[in-house]
Amino acid sequence: NIYLGSQFKGDVIKSDPQYKATHSAQFSLSTVGNECKWHATEQQRGIFTLDKCNAAFAYARSAKQAFRGHNLCWGNDNPAWLESGSFSTFELKSILEEHITSVMQGVKAAAGKSPLAWDVVNEATNSTAFFKPNRWYPAVPDYVDVAFRAARAADPDALLFYNDYGVAELGGAKAEQMYAMVASMRARGVPIDGVGLQAHLTLGGADDVDGYSDDIKGRSRA
């Protein structure tokens, strides 16, 4: 009852039979790299293009895999209209809520079921503060709360995750900030079901594979 998951590339799944066969056989949960991000799903304001995200979810279902949508709100990979637009705090909040609602409900409607989970907010913290400056902060000071509340209202059946990198090691300053953020959300009743720890672990990047394996086991025990 433990999912073993992997990110996949939507275009390669369609073009490379061996890649698809291997990914289908070896994993029970998957998330597509870019096809569900804002730049792919709302390239023009108010016009939602969910075909690639829907296709990724359809592939996961065909492979009998659970699916994790990635992501609904991030400081990167946003379309030009969003990054360069001059919006008030109220407008940005409304844009965020509309995007989350439209994407989550559109994906659920196309599939007839919810994904297992969504990464609602991606990479919002740094080592010194809950939020790092981006399109959303400080313009919308409570944008993480806004995003998670909108996500729960949009699809109560999907698990809601916060996702970040550089937090897999215990005791780091960024990990402590993320912990404090999530603890604050929980204490205030902001809906959140889990946290994703981007580890970016690759054996190809290890000079000493055995030592690398021992290090990962040590982190897991910690």
Side-chain angles (χ1 to χ4, degrees), residues 72 100-101 103-109 113-118 120 147-161 191-193:
L72 297 167
I100 290 172
T101 300
V103 172
M104 293 184 75
Q105 292 183 348
V107 169
K108 182 177 182 178
K113 63 180 294 186
S114 302
L116 174 69
W118 278 97
V120 179
F148 275 89
R149 289 194 168 110
R152 180 66 86 217
D155 186 357
D157 297 323
L159 297 174
L160 308 182
F161 277 71
I192 181 170
D193 299 304

PDB file of all heavy atoms in Angstrom, residues 72 100-101 103-109 113-118 120 147-161 191-193:
ATOM      1  N   LEU A  72      -0.507  23.970  -9.448  1.00  0.00           N
ATOM      2  CA  LEU A  72      -1.549  24.975  -9.647  1.00  0.00           C
ATOM      3  C   LEU A  72      -1.074  26.401  -9.400  1.00  0.00           C
ATOM      4  O   LEU A  72      -1.663  27.346  -9.924  1.00  0.00           O
ATOM      5  CB  LEU A  72      -2.739  24.666  -8.730  1.00  0.00           C
ATOM      6  CG  LEU A  72      -3.434  23.338  -9.022  1.00  0.00           C
ATOM      7  CD1 LEU A  72      -4.378  22.984  -7.885  1.00  0.00           C
ATOM      8  CD2 LEU A  72      -4.188  23.418 -10.349  1.00  0.00           C
ATOM      9  N   ILE A 100      -7.264  27.961 -10.329  1.00  0.00           N
ATOM     10  CA  ILE A 100      -7.295  26.715  -9.572  1.00  0.00           C
ATOM     11  C   ILE A 100      -8.630  26.011  -9.745  1.00  0.00           C
ATOM     12  O   ILE A 100      -8.695  24.798  -9.995  1.00  0.00           O
ATOM     13  CB  ILE A 100      -6.986  26.990  -8.086  1.00  0.00           C
ATOM     14  CG1 ILE A 100      -5.517  27.374  -7.927  1.00  0.00           C
ATOM     15  CG2 ILE A 100      -7.337  25.795  -7.211  1.00  0.00           C
ATOM     16  CD1 ILE A 100      -5.149  27.857  -6.540  1.00  0.00           C
ATOM     17  N   THR A 101      -9.702  26.756  -9.643  1.00  0.00           N
ATOM     18  CA  THR A 101     -11.033  26.164  -9.783  1.00  0.00           C
ATOM     19  C   THR A 101     -11.230  25.579 -11.166  1.00  0.00           C
ATOM     20  O   THR A 101     -11.695  24.434 -11.319  1.00  0.00           O
ATOM     21  CB  THR A 101     -12.109  27.226  -9.505  1.00  0.00           C
ATOM     22  OG1 THR A 101     -11.948  27.735  -8.174  1.00  0.00           O
ATOM     23  CG2 THR A 101     -13.507  26.633  -9.651  1.00  0.00           C
ATOM     24  N   VAL A 103      -8.993  24.649 -13.517  1.00  0.00           N
ATOM     25  CA  VAL A 103      -8.116  23.526 -13.844  1.00  0.00           C
ATOM     26  C   VAL A 103      -8.554  22.273 -13.095  1.00  0.00           C
ATOM     27  O   VAL A 103      -8.717  21.197 -13.690  1.00  0.00           O
ATOM     28  CB  VAL A 103      -6.651  23.872 -13.547  1.00  0.00           C
ATOM     29  CG1 VAL A 103      -5.767  22.633 -13.693  1.00  0.00           C
ATOM     30  CG2 VAL A 103      -6.168  24.974 -14.482  1.00  0.00           C
ATOM     31  N   MET A 104      -8.753  22.382 -11.801  1.00  0.00           N
ATOM     32  CA  MET A 104      -9.105  21.194 -11.021  1.00  0.00           C
ATOM     33  C   MET A 104     -10.446  20.613 -11.452  1.00  0.00           C
ATOM     34  O   MET A 104     -10.590  19.392 -11.636  1.00  0.00           O
ATOM     35  CB  MET A 104      -9.131  21.526  -9.530  1.00  0.00           C
ATOM     36  CG  MET A 104      -7.778  21.855  -8.943  1.00  0.00           C
ATOM     37  SD  MET A 104      -7.823  22.130  -7.142  1.00  0.00           S
ATOM     38  CE  MET A 104      -7.996  20.449  -6.546  1.00  0.00           C
ATOM     39  N   GLN A 105     -11.427  21.470 -11.642  1.00  0.00           N
ATOM     40  CA  GLN A 105     -12.747  20.971 -12.031  1.00  0.00           C
ATOM     41  C   GLN A 105     -12.754  20.484 -13.474  1.00  0.00           C
ATOM     42  O   GLN A 105     -13.440  19.505 -13.802  1.00  0.00           O
ATOM     43  CB  GLN A 105     -13.803  22.053 -11.812  1.00  0.00           C
ATOM     44  CG  GLN A 105     -14.022  22.356 -10.338  1.00  0.00           C
ATOM     45  CD  GLN A 105     -15.118  23.367 -10.077  1.00  0.00           C
ATOM     46  OE1 GLN A 105     -15.611  24.036 -10.989  1.00  0.00           O
ATOM     47  NE2 GLN A 105     -15.515  23.506  -8.823  1.00  0.00           N
ATOM     48  N   GLY A 106     -11.973  21.132 -14.339  1.00  0.00           N
ATOM     49  CA  GLY A 106     -11.903  20.697 -15.728  1.00  0.00           C
ATOM     50  C   GLY A 106     -11.246  19.339 -15.874  1.00  0.00           C
ATOM     51  O   GLY A 106     -11.711  18.482 -16.643  1.00  0.00           O
ATOM     52  N   VAL A 107     -10.166  19.115 -15.132  1.00  0.00           N
ATOM     53  CA  VAL A 107      -9.479  17.822 -15.181  1.00  0.00           C
ATOM     54  C   VAL A 107     -10.368  16.729 -14.606  1.00  0.00           C
ATOM     55  O   VAL A 107     -10.464  15.622 -15.162  1.00  0.00           O
ATOM     56  CB  VAL A 107      -8.131  17.909 -14.435  1.00  0.00           C
ATOM     57  CG1 VAL A 107      -7.522  16.526 -14.236  1.00  0.00           C
ATOM     58  CG2 VAL A 107      -7.166  18.812 -15.196  1.00  0.00           C
ATOM     59  N   LYS A 108     -11.037  17.010 -13.521  1.00  0.00           N
ATOM     60  CA  LYS A 108     -11.928  16.026 -12.914  1.00  0.00           C
ATOM     61  C   LYS A 108     -13.088  15.691 -13.843  1.00  0.00           C
ATOM     62  O   LYS A 108     -13.466  14.516 -13.999  1.00  0.00           O
ATOM     63  CB  LYS A 108     -12.464  16.552 -11.582  1.00  0.00           C
ATOM     64  CG  LYS A 108     -13.372  15.574 -10.855  1.00  0.00           C
ATOM     65  CD  LYS A 108     -13.797  16.125  -9.507  1.00  0.00           C
ATOM     66  CE  LYS A 108     -14.668  15.133  -8.740  1.00  0.00           C
ATOM     67  NZ  LYS A 108     -15.042  15.647  -7.397  1.00  0.00           N
ATOM     68  N   ALA A 109     -13.666  16.695 -14.483  1.00  0.00           N
ATOM     69  CA  ALA A 109     -14.803  16.463 -15.376  1.00  0.00           C
ATOM     70  C   ALA A 109     -14.401  15.621 -16.580  1.00  0.00           C
ATOM     71  O   ALA A 109     -15.142  14.733 -17.010  1.00  0.00           O
ATOM     72  CB  ALA A 109     -15.387  17.804 -15.826  1.00  0.00           C
ATOM     73  N   LYS A 113     -13.254  11.488 -12.682  1.00  0.00           N
ATOM     74  CA  LYS A 113     -12.747  11.232 -11.341  1.00  0.00           C
ATOM     75  C   LYS A 113     -11.632  12.225 -11.042  1.00  0.00           C
ATOM     76  O   LYS A 113     -11.057  12.833 -11.949  1.00  0.00           O
ATOM     77  CB  LYS A 113     -12.208   9.807 -11.210  1.00  0.00           C
ATOM     78  CG  LYS A 113     -11.022   9.500 -12.116  1.00  0.00           C
ATOM     79  CD  LYS A 113     -10.517   8.077 -11.941  1.00  0.00           C
ATOM     80  CE  LYS A 113      -9.940   7.828 -10.583  1.00  0.00           C
ATOM     81  NZ  LYS A 113      -9.325   6.489 -10.442  1.00  0.00           N
ATOM     82  N   SER A 114     -11.320  12.372  -9.773  1.00  0.00           N
ATOM     83  CA  SER A 114     -10.254  13.280  -9.369  1.00  0.00           C
ATOM     84  C   SER A 114      -8.902  12.587  -9.454  1.00  0.00           C
ATOM     85  O   SER A 114      -8.800  11.376  -9.247  1.00  0.00           O
ATOM     86  CB  SER A 114     -10.462  13.740  -7.923  1.00  0.00           C
ATOM     87  OG  SER A 114     -11.703  14.372  -7.758  1.00  0.00           O
ATOM     88  N   PRO A 115      -7.834  13.351  -9.723  1.00  0.00           N
ATOM     89  CA  PRO A 115      -6.501  12.799  -9.474  1.00  0.00           C
ATOM     90  C   PRO A 115      -6.357  12.454  -7.997  1.00  0.00           C
ATOM     91  O   PRO A 115      -7.112  12.960  -7.157  1.00  0.00           O
ATOM     92  CB  PRO A 115      -5.565  13.948  -9.857  1.00  0.00           C
ATOM     93  CG  PRO A 115      -6.378  14.862 -10.709  1.00  0.00           C
ATOM     94  CD  PRO A 115      -7.783  14.729 -10.221  1.00  0.00           C
ATOM     95  N   LEU A 116      -5.404  11.615  -7.682  1.00  0.00           N
ATOM     96  CA  LEU A 116      -5.143  11.319  -6.274  1.00  0.00           C
ATOM     97  C   LEU A 116      -4.810  12.603  -5.523  1.00  0.00           C
ATOM     98  O   LEU A 116      -5.291  12.816  -4.397  1.00  0.00           O
ATOM     99  CB  LEU A 116      -3.971  10.346  -6.150  1.00  0.00           C
ATOM    100  CG  LEU A 116      -3.490  10.068  -4.717  1.00  0.00           C
ATOM    101  CD1 LEU A 116      -4.527   9.274  -3.943  1.00  0.00           C
ATOM    102  CD2 LEU A 116      -2.146   9.345  -4.709  1.00  0.00           C
ATOM    103  N   ALA A 117      -3.987  13.463  -6.136  1.00  0.00           N
ATOM    104  CA  ALA A 117      -3.490  14.643  -5.431  1.00  0.00           C
ATOM    105  C   ALA A 117      -3.113  15.738  -6.417  1.00  0.00           C
ATOM    106  O   ALA A 117      -2.906  15.481  -7.604  1.00  0.00           O
ATOM    107  CB  ALA A 117      -2.270  14.275  -4.583  1.00  0.00           C
ATOM    108  N   TRP A 118      -3.030  16.954  -5.889  1.00  0.00           N
ATOM    109  CA  TRP A 118      -2.493  18.108  -6.621  1.00  0.00           C
ATOM    110  C   TRP A 118      -1.404  18.766  -5.777  1.00  0.00           C
ATOM    111  O   TRP A 118      -1.554  18.907  -4.563  1.00  0.00           O
ATOM    112  CB  TRP A 118      -3.591  19.141  -6.880  1.00  0.00           C
ATOM    113  CG  TRP A 118      -4.465  18.857  -8.050  1.00  0.00           C
ATOM    114  CD1 TRP A 118      -5.688  18.253  -8.043  1.00  0.00           C
ATOM    115  CD2 TRP A 118      -4.197  19.191  -9.420  1.00  0.00           C
ATOM    116  NE1 TRP A 118      -6.194  18.183  -9.317  1.00  0.00           N
ATOM    117  CE2 TRP A 118      -5.300  18.749 -10.181  1.00  0.00           C
ATOM    118  CE3 TRP A 118      -3.123  19.810 -10.063  1.00  0.00           C
ATOM    119  CZ2 TRP A 118      -5.360  18.912 -11.562  1.00  0.00           C
ATOM    120  CZ3 TRP A 118      -3.183  19.977 -11.439  1.00  0.00           C
ATOM    121  CH2 TRP A 118      -4.296  19.531 -12.176  1.00  0.00           C
ATOM    122  N   VAL A 120      -0.637  22.011  -4.929  1.00  0.00           N
ATOM    123  CA  VAL A 120      -1.393  23.260  -5.016  1.00  0.00           C
ATOM    124  C   VAL A 120      -0.453  24.445  -5.143  1.00  0.00           C
ATOM    125  O   VAL A 120      -0.610  25.313  -6.014  1.00  0.00           O
ATOM    126  CB  VAL A 120      -2.318  23.418  -3.791  1.00  0.00           C
ATOM    127  CG1 VAL A 120      -3.091  24.739  -3.865  1.00  0.00           C
ATOM    128  CG2 VAL A 120      -3.289  22.248  -3.710  1.00  0.00           C
ATOM    129  N   ALA A 147      -4.751  29.900  -2.170  1.00  0.00           N
ATOM    130  CA  ALA A 147      -4.660  28.795  -3.120  1.00  0.00           C
ATOM    131  C   ALA A 147      -5.219  27.504  -2.530  1.00  0.00           C
ATOM    132  O   ALA A 147      -5.982  26.777  -3.191  1.00  0.00           O
ATOM    133  CB  ALA A 147      -3.206  28.604  -3.549  1.00  0.00           C
ATOM    134  N   PHE A 148      -4.857  27.194  -1.307  1.00  0.00           N
ATOM    135  CA  PHE A 148      -5.315  25.937  -0.706  1.00  0.00           C
ATOM    136  C   PHE A 148      -6.811  25.957  -0.423  1.00  0.00           C
ATOM    137  O   PHE A 148      -7.500  24.934  -0.602  1.00  0.00           O
ATOM    138  CB  PHE A 148      -4.517  25.628   0.554  1.00  0.00           C
ATOM    139  CG  PHE A 148      -3.230  24.909   0.277  1.00  0.00           C
ATOM    140  CD1 PHE A 148      -2.059  25.619   0.033  1.00  0.00           C
ATOM    141  CD2 PHE A 148      -3.181  23.524   0.233  1.00  0.00           C
ATOM    142  CE1 PHE A 148      -0.867  24.955  -0.246  1.00  0.00           C
ATOM    143  CE2 PHE A 148      -1.998  22.853  -0.045  1.00  0.00           C
ATOM    144  CZ  PHE A 148      -0.838  23.569  -0.288  1.00  0.00           C
ATOM    145  N   ARG A 149      -7.328  27.074  -0.009  1.00  0.00           N
ATOM    146  CA  ARG A 149      -8.774  27.148   0.236  1.00  0.00           C
ATOM    147  C   ARG A 149      -9.546  27.031  -1.075  1.00  0.00           C
ATOM    148  O   ARG A 149     -10.588  26.364  -1.139  1.00  0.00           O
ATOM    149  CB  ARG A 149      -9.110  28.446   0.973  1.00  0.00           C
ATOM    150  CG  ARG A 149      -8.620  28.448   2.425  1.00  0.00           C
ATOM    151  CD  ARG A 149      -9.229  29.568   3.242  1.00  0.00           C
ATOM    152  NE  ARG A 149      -8.967  29.382   4.661  1.00  0.00           N
ATOM    153  CZ  ARG A 149      -8.155  30.138   5.401  1.00  0.00           C
ATOM    154  NH1 ARG A 149      -7.519  31.164   4.851  1.00  0.00           N
ATOM    155  NH2 ARG A 149      -7.973  29.888   6.689  1.00  0.00           N
ATOM    156  N   ALA A 150      -9.033  27.657  -2.122  1.00  0.00           N
ATOM    157  CA  ALA A 150      -9.686  27.536  -3.426  1.00  0.00           C
ATOM    158  C   ALA A 150      -9.632  26.101  -3.927  1.00  0.00           C
ATOM    159  O   ALA A 150     -10.595  25.591  -4.513  1.00  0.00           O
ATOM    160  CB  ALA A 150      -9.023  28.473  -4.428  1.00  0.00           C
ATOM    161  N   ALA A 151      -8.514  25.423  -3.693  1.00  0.00           N
ATOM    162  CA  ALA A 151      -8.367  24.049  -4.157  1.00  0.00           C
ATOM    163  C   ALA A 151      -9.330  23.107  -3.440  1.00  0.00           C
ATOM    164  O   ALA A 151      -9.946  22.230  -4.065  1.00  0.00           O
ATOM    165  CB  ALA A 151      -6.924  23.583  -3.950  1.00  0.00           C
ATOM    166  N   ARG A 152      -9.477  23.265  -2.130  1.00  0.00           N
ATOM    167  CA  ARG A 152     -10.407  22.403  -1.398  1.00  0.00           C
ATOM    168  C   ARG A 152     -11.837  22.624  -1.874  1.00  0.00           C
ATOM    169  O   ARG A 152     -12.605  21.660  -2.038  1.00  0.00           O
ATOM    170  CB  ARG A 152     -10.304  22.661   0.104  1.00  0.00           C
ATOM    171  CG  ARG A 152     -11.246  21.814   0.939  1.00  0.00           C
ATOM    172  CD  ARG A 152     -10.877  20.317   0.862  1.00  0.00           C
ATOM    173  NE  ARG A 152      -9.872  20.000   1.863  1.00  0.00           N
ATOM    174  CZ  ARG A 152      -8.881  19.142   1.665  1.00  0.00           C
ATOM    175  NH1 ARG A 152      -8.745  18.523   0.509  1.00  0.00           N
ATOM    176  NH2 ARG A 152      -7.998  18.889   2.610  1.00  0.00           N
ATOM    177  N   ALA A 153     -12.191  23.872  -2.121  1.00  0.00           N
ATOM    178  CA  ALA A 153     -13.542  24.161  -2.597  1.00  0.00           C
ATOM    179  C   ALA A 153     -13.764  23.617  -4.008  1.00  0.00           C
ATOM    180  O   ALA A 153     -14.859  23.163  -4.346  1.00  0.00           O
ATOM    181  CB  ALA A 153     -13.794  25.668  -2.572  1.00  0.00           C
ATOM    182  N   ALA A 154     -12.714  23.644  -4.831  1.00  0.00           N
ATOM    183  CA  ALA A 154     -12.852  23.213  -6.221  1.00  0.00           C
ATOM    184  C   ALA A 154     -13.018  21.710  -6.350  1.00  0.00           C
ATOM    185  O   ALA A 154     -13.782  21.218  -7.184  1.00  0.00           O
ATOM    186  CB  ALA A 154     -11.636  23.668  -7.033  1.00  0.00           C
ATOM    187  N   ASP A 155     -12.288  20.944  -5.531  1.00  0.00           N
ATOM    188  CA  ASP A 155     -12.362  19.488  -5.611  1.00  0.00           C
ATOM    189  C   ASP A 155     -12.062  18.885  -4.239  1.00  0.00           C
ATOM    190  O   ASP A 155     -10.907  18.629  -3.909  1.00  0.00           O
ATOM    191  CB  ASP A 155     -11.376  18.947  -6.649  1.00  0.00           C
ATOM    192  CG  ASP A 155     -11.520  17.446  -6.858  1.00  0.00           C
ATOM    193  OD1 ASP A 155     -12.344  16.825  -6.152  1.00  0.00           O
ATOM    194  OD2 ASP A 155     -10.817  16.891  -7.712  1.00  0.00           O
ATOM    195  N   PRO A 156     -13.098  18.634  -3.458  1.00  0.00           N
ATOM    196  CA  PRO A 156     -12.893  18.081  -2.113  1.00  0.00           C
ATOM    197  C   PRO A 156     -12.332  16.667  -2.112  1.00  0.00           C
ATOM    198  O   PRO A 156     -11.903  16.175  -1.053  1.00  0.00           O
ATOM    199  CB  PRO A 156     -14.309  18.102  -1.506  1.00  0.00           C
ATOM    200  CG  PRO A 156     -15.096  19.053  -2.346  1.00  0.00           C
ATOM    201  CD  PRO A 156     -14.508  18.956  -3.720  1.00  0.00           C
ATOM    202  N   ASP A 157     -12.320  15.993  -3.270  1.00  0.00           N
ATOM    203  CA  ASP A 157     -11.883  14.592  -3.325  1.00  0.00           C
ATOM    204  C   ASP A 157     -10.388  14.420  -3.542  1.00  0.00           C
ATOM    205  O   ASP A 157      -9.859  13.315  -3.368  1.00  0.00           O
ATOM    206  CB  ASP A 157     -12.636  13.857  -4.443  1.00  0.00           C
ATOM    207  CG  ASP A 157     -14.130  13.808  -4.196  1.00  0.00           C
ATOM    208  OD1 ASP A 157     -14.532  13.667  -3.023  1.00  0.00           O
ATOM    209  OD2 ASP A 157     -14.891  13.927  -5.167  1.00  0.00           O
ATOM    210  N   ALA A 158      -9.696  15.464  -3.952  1.00  0.00           N
ATOM    211  CA  ALA A 158      -8.254  15.370  -4.226  1.00  0.00           C
ATOM    212  C   ALA A 158      -7.448  15.755  -2.985  1.00  0.00           C
ATOM    213  O   ALA A 158      -7.812  16.682  -2.258  1.00  0.00           O
ATOM    214  CB  ALA A 158      -7.872  16.275  -5.388  1.00  0.00           C
ATOM    215  N   LEU A 159      -6.337  15.054  -2.764  1.00  0.00           N
ATOM    216  CA  LEU A 159      -5.422  15.429  -1.698  1.00  0.00           C
ATOM    217  C   LEU A 159      -4.655  16.684  -2.118  1.00  0.00           C
ATOM    218  O   LEU A 159      -4.271  16.824  -3.282  1.00  0.00           O
ATOM    219  CB  LEU A 159      -4.440  14.300  -1.407  1.00  0.00           C
ATOM    220  CG  LEU A 159      -5.051  12.991  -0.902  1.00  0.00           C
ATOM    221  CD1 LEU A 159      -3.978  11.913  -0.807  1.00  0.00           C
ATOM    222  CD2 LEU A 159      -5.729  13.191   0.448  1.00  0.00           C
ATOM    223  N   LEU A 160      -4.420  17.559  -1.163  1.00  0.00           N
ATOM    224  CA  LEU A 160      -3.784  18.848  -1.450  1.00  0.00           C
ATOM    225  C   LEU A 160      -2.392  18.882  -0.829  1.00  0.00           C
ATOM    226  O   LEU A 160      -2.239  18.720   0.384  1.00  0.00           O
ATOM    227  CB  LEU A 160      -4.628  19.990  -0.895  1.00  0.00           C
ATOM    228  CG  LEU A 160      -6.112  19.990  -1.294  1.00  0.00           C
ATOM    229  CD1 LEU A 160      -6.814  21.213  -0.703  1.00  0.00           C
ATOM    230  CD2 LEU A 160      -6.286  19.947  -2.813  1.00  0.00           C
ATOM    231  N   PHE A 161      -1.375  19.138  -1.682  1.00  0.00           N
ATOM    232  CA  PHE A 161       0.016  19.104  -1.238  1.00  0.00           C
ATOM    233  C   PHE A 161       0.709  20.448  -1.457  1.00  0.00           C
ATOM    234  O   PHE A 161       0.413  21.177  -2.404  1.00  0.00           O
ATOM    235  CB  PHE A 161       0.796  18.039  -2.020  1.00  0.00           C
ATOM    236  CG  PHE A 161       0.657  16.650  -1.477  1.00  0.00           C
ATOM    237  CD1 PHE A 161      -0.534  15.957  -1.599  1.00  0.00           C
ATOM    238  CD2 PHE A 161       1.721  16.032  -0.824  1.00  0.00           C
ATOM    239  CE1 PHE A 161      -0.675  14.681  -1.104  1.00  0.00           C
ATOM    240  CE2 PHE A 161       1.587  14.742  -0.315  1.00  0.00           C
ATOM    241  CZ  PHE A 161       0.385  14.072  -0.455  1.00  0.00           C
ATOM    242  N   PRO A 191      -6.715  24.149   4.661  1.00  0.00           N
ATOM    243  CA  PRO A 191      -6.690  22.734   4.262  1.00  0.00           C
ATOM    244  C   PRO A 191      -5.406  22.342   3.544  1.00  0.00           C
ATOM    245  O   PRO A 191      -5.049  22.913   2.519  1.00  0.00           O
ATOM    246  CB  PRO A 191      -7.899  22.616   3.320  1.00  0.00           C
ATOM    247  CG  PRO A 191      -8.096  24.004   2.775  1.00  0.00           C
ATOM    248  CD  PRO A 191      -7.708  24.931   3.897  1.00  0.00           C
ATOM    249  N   ILE A 192      -4.698  21.377   4.105  1.00  0.00           N
ATOM    250  CA  ILE A 192      -3.501  20.822   3.470  1.00  0.00           C
ATOM    251  C   ILE A 192      -3.371  19.374   3.932  1.00  0.00           C
ATOM    252  O   ILE A 192      -3.535  19.076   5.121  1.00  0.00           O
ATOM    253  CB  ILE A 192      -2.228  21.635   3.799  1.00  0.00           C
ATOM    254  CG1 ILE A 192      -1.002  21.032   3.107  1.00  0.00           C
ATOM    255  CG2 ILE A 192      -2.027  21.790   5.291  1.00  0.00           C
ATOM    256  CD1 ILE A 192       0.244  21.912   3.199  1.00  0.00           C
ATOM    257  N   ASP A 193      -3.098  18.477   2.998  1.00  0.00           N
ATOM    258  CA  ASP A 193      -3.061  17.054   3.311  1.00  0.00           C
ATOM    259  C   ASP A 193      -1.662  16.462   3.335  1.00  0.00           C
ATOM    260  O   ASP A 193      -1.460  15.368   3.878  1.00  0.00           O
ATOM    261  CB  ASP A 193      -3.899  16.275   2.286  1.00  0.00           C
ATOM    262  CG  ASP A 193      -5.354  16.689   2.301  1.00  0.00           C
ATOM    263  OD1 ASP A 193      -5.966  16.620   3.383  1.00  0.00           O
ATOM    264  OD2 ASP A 193      -5.888  17.102   1.244  1.00  0.00           O
TER     265      ASP A 193
END
